[in-house]
Amino acid sequence: MTERSPRCAFVIFGVTGDLAARKLLPALYALHVDGRLHPDSVVVGYARSDLDDEGLRQRLRDALGEHLGDVDDADWDALAGRIHYVRGGYDEPDDYERLARRLAELGRDDHVYYTSTPPETYCPIVEGLASAGLHRQSGAFRRLVIEKPFGHDLDSARQLNARVQEHFDERQLFRIDHYLAKETAQNLAVLRFGNAIFEPVWSNRFIDHVQITMAEDIGVEGRGAFYEASGVIRDVFQNHLLQLLALVAMEPPTTFSDADAVRDEKVKVLRALACISPHDAVLGQYVGDDDGTVGYQQEEGVDPDSHTATYAAAMFELKTWRWAGVPFYVRSGKRLASKASEIVLVFKTPPHVPFDGPTPLPGDRLVLRLVPDEGISLRFNAKIPGQGIDVGRVSLDFAYRTHFERRIPDPYETLLSDVLAGDATLFMRADEVEAQWRAVAPLLDRGDERPVPYRAGSLGPPEADTLLERQRRTWHSPGSD
Ligand code: BG6
């Protein structure tokens, strides 16, 4: 059943930027077509460019065509008539006054503000909204969605939290991490807590180790200057990968209808993450390959002597009763052989094998695929037909796309719909973000250490394989289990 959001004004700061064109507008359009955006809601774009309402509508129509392909003219016309533009800077109190007047003219009291802008504008936007009195109104909701990166280390995240909370209450804040809205990430909770067979084996009694991988085949895609300041740890480790780890490791919350009940459990996991020693992490940087793919240092906007890591693999440990002794191996990199994100739980090997043949038998594996082809596979041992007992590997597979005959929503669609409904379950709380920065601090503070090189289009640096081999384990790849 589709639920319609309340009538409101959805304000996008940085509406002329890439995120608005690629993600926000397509998501709002999908909600509109689905009947989940109130037919009386308005979208107000805010940016520095010299545009008017019509100019913004044309721009967004072109962007929709480019990123969505299939756009229905009647649906678009119904949405376009409710799109408005306010030109303004991020540091100018007068511009926020103009925004306030425009919002008053439009007559919607409930507001969502979205910072689709560079991180240095987050504080000026918060202060600008507060100076114009837009941050609060009795009897109405005022919600602020803050994009990542939220700070660039623990100190800056603390300062940002403090500045934002001077004007907005925590319950008005929605810190985005789009990985939480991926179907498989959400399904982890249903798999674990909606079935009785998984939870009893979900611990160090049965699980040998956990692997979390986010591999990308793309490079920095014209975002060289941004990436130089962030690198793989700030870009995806601190947020996406640790959020997935928290979902795998958290204790069952009493309910999923209360955002804090879920977030309390995730924070406990993030706080229990043990410090990584330099010995347990590998940082890498891609170099050009023979086909002419350029190396990271040759990308536009990148220092030709850059030490920024585009790959990291690290071992985390959790100091809890359930997980003590179970390593969590986490890795991510740009310009790898293919795009794939997955979580693999590797179970212990059978304690005794009563058949002839090679021992030990491989441990069972539960593979949760986020990208591509969202789904779940259970890999286990089975008898190969024929005389005697020969054991081979088989798989039980479930794929979202073929099983449910439904479109899989883009994570931004889910997230915007949740903001409109006031549901913060899939958003990060202040203490959660800070716990994440604390956990990755040892990976950020590596002095002058140079990342090891790996070839663009490869599986990553060989040193990452050694990290596991030292503990007689290997990274999961189809066919390796
Ligand atoms: C973003 C990162 O958060 O996630 C990008 O900033 C990365 O560097 C992207 O490419 C990957 O998201 P997805 O959904 O395509 O896996």
Side-chain angles (χ1 to χ4, degrees):
M1 196 180 74
T2 55
E3 231 173 87
R4 182 181 284 178
S5 63
R7 168 186 190 267
C8 69
F10 195 100
V11 182
I12 303 176
F13 290 102
V15 72
T16 51
D18 189 52
L19 180 71
R22 268 187 316 113
K23 294 292 180 188
L24 305 185
L25 221 271
L28 285 170
Y29 174 77
L31 296 180
H32 159 72
V33 172
D34 255 18
R36 283 188 287 158
L37 184 68
H38 194 288
D40 225 8
S41 284
V42 294
V43 177
V44 178
Y46 184 103
R48 284 185 284 234
S49 308
D50 189 8
L51 285 175
D52 56 12
D53 289 355
E54 214 31 68
L56 177 65
R57 289 171 189 158
Q58 194 48 54
R59 240 180 128 114
L60 295 180
R61 174 68 183 82
D62 294 346
L64 263 193
E66 186 183 333
H67 297 290
L68 222 53
D70 189 16
V71 181
D72 180 271
D73 283 338
D75 280 332
W76 167 251
D77 289 344
L79 179 64
R82 293 185 277 131
I83 296 180
H84 306 270
Y85 185 65
V86 174
R87 181 184 174 195
Y90 300 108
D91 294 308
E92 309 297 330
D94 289 352
D95 292 346
Y96 291 92
E97 292 294 343
R98 270 192 308 109
L99 173 64
R101 284 198 294 279
R102 188 70 186 271
L103 286 166
E105 278 159 27
L106 291 168
R108 307 322 189 255
D109 286 338
D110 293 322
H111 299 169
V112 173
Y113 309 112
Y114 197 114
T115 62
S116 178
T117 48
E120 60 276 13
T121 64
Y122 298 167
C123 281
I125 290 175
V126 165
E127 273 147 25
L129 287 170
S131 72
L134 285 168
H135 60 314
R136 278 197 196 130
Q137 180 169 316
S138 71
F141 69 70
R142 300 286 161 99
R143 298 180 184 141
L144 176 66
V145 187
I146 307 185
E147 257 299 332
K148 70 179 256 289
F150 196 91
H152 60 270
D153 58 12
L154 178 56
D155 278 352
S156 56
R158 276 191 182 135
Q159 283 166 24
L160 183 54
N161 273 329
R163 299 266 303 268
V164 173
Q165 287 168 339
E166 274 174 34
H167 303 292
F168 286 85
D169 291 341
E170 187 58 35
R171 64 186 167 75
Q172 295 176 273
L173 297 172
F174 294 75
R175 297 176 192 78
I176 280 227
D177 183 327
H178 78 279
Y179 259 61
L180 282 178
K182 293 204 181 242
E183 284 295 323
T184 314
Q186 293 189 74
N187 191 38
L188 237 171
V190 179
L191 179 83
R192 289 187 59 192
F193 310 130
N195 297 292
I197 62 167
F198 296 109
E199 206 43 28
V201 296
W202 209 269
S203 75
N204 49 10
R205 286 190 60 205
F206 294 94
I207 293 178
D208 178 73
H209 70 280
V210 177
Q211 300 185 13
I212 301 179
T213 299
M214 174 186 174
E216 295 190 275
D217 51 355
I218 55 170
V220 291
E221 306 289 287
R223 296 191 305 158
F226 157 80
Y227 203 83
E228 267 293 84
S230 102
V232 64
I233 304 299
R234 293 185 169 91
D235 190 35
V236 300
F237 247 70
Q238 181 269 346
N239 35 69
H240 304 332
L241 293 169
L242 289 192
Q243 281 293 326
L244 294 180
L245 189 154
L247 289 175
V248 173
M250 73 182 192
E251 295 299 319
T254 45
T255 171
F256 268 81
S257 326
D258 171 7
D260 279 334
V262 178
R263 299 192 293 183
D264 286 346
E265 296 306 333
K266 283 196 292 164
V267 170
K268 285 184 205 159
V269 171
L270 295 165
R271 288 200 179 134
L273 277 174
C275 252
I276 313 153
S277 82
H279 198 57
D280 293 330
V282 172
L283 298 180
Q285 188 187 76
Y286 62 86
V287 293
D289 69 2
D290 303 339
D291 301 343
T293 307
V294 297
Y296 177 68
Q297 296 184 347
Q298 288 76 51
E299 300 272 11
E300 205 186 317
V302 170
D303 178 350
D305 190 34
S306 171
H307 289 198
T308 301
T310 60
Y311 178 99
M315 184 183 91
F316 290 88
E317 278 181 325
L318 270 168
K319 296 202 185 261
T320 65
W321 189 275
R322 187 194 282 259
W323 293 113
V326 178
F328 282 72
Y329 300 105
V330 180
R331 61 178 170 163
S332 178
K334 294 269 187 204
R335 279 261 185 269
L336 295 173
S338 56
K339 180 168 172 74
S341 293
E342 63 183 18
I343 300 166
V344 183
L345 288 97
V346 181
F347 288 85
K348 292 187 171 170
T349 55
H352 167 68
V353 182
F355 332 110
D356 292 339
T359 52
L361 287 174
D364 306 331
R365 290 187 176 201
L366 185 63
V367 181
L368 312 170
R369 274 186 319 278
L370 284 90
V371 177
D373 192 22
E374 291 96 327
I376 299 176
S377 301
L378 181 64
R379 306 272 300 153
F380 57 101
N381 301 313
K383 181 183 178 298
I384 300 172
Q387 290 267 288
I389 295 190
D390 280 336
V391 177
R393 292 293 267 178
V394 294
S395 190
L396 284 176
D397 293 309
F398 148 69
Y400 271 87
R401 221 164 278 279
T402 47
H403 189 87
F404 295 109
E405 290 176 353
R406 280 177 151 219
R407 183 178 68 85
I408 297 180
D410 184 85
Y412 274 86
E413 218 176 294
T414 305
L415 292 170
L416 295 196
S417 172
D418 284 359
V419 174
L420 291 166
D423 180 355
T425 311
L426 300 181
F427 296 83
M428 289 176 293
R429 211 168 55 186
D431 51 352
E432 214 173 331
V433 179
E434 292 178 14
Q436 291 178 168
W437 280 119
R438 206 172 293 114
V440 297
L443 291 169
L444 293 174
D445 187 14
R446 312 267 291 196
D448 277 342
E449 184 185 324
R450 275 190 172 277
V452 294
Y454 63 96
R455 211 171 31 78
S458 70
L459 295 174
E463 288 81 349
D465 297 334
T466 316
L467 184 75
L468 267 70
E469 280 157 14
R470 281 204 318 256
Q471 299 174 359
R472 285 198 223 90
R473 297 184 175 110
T474 51
W475 289 108
H476 173 84
S477 67
S480 75
D481 59 343

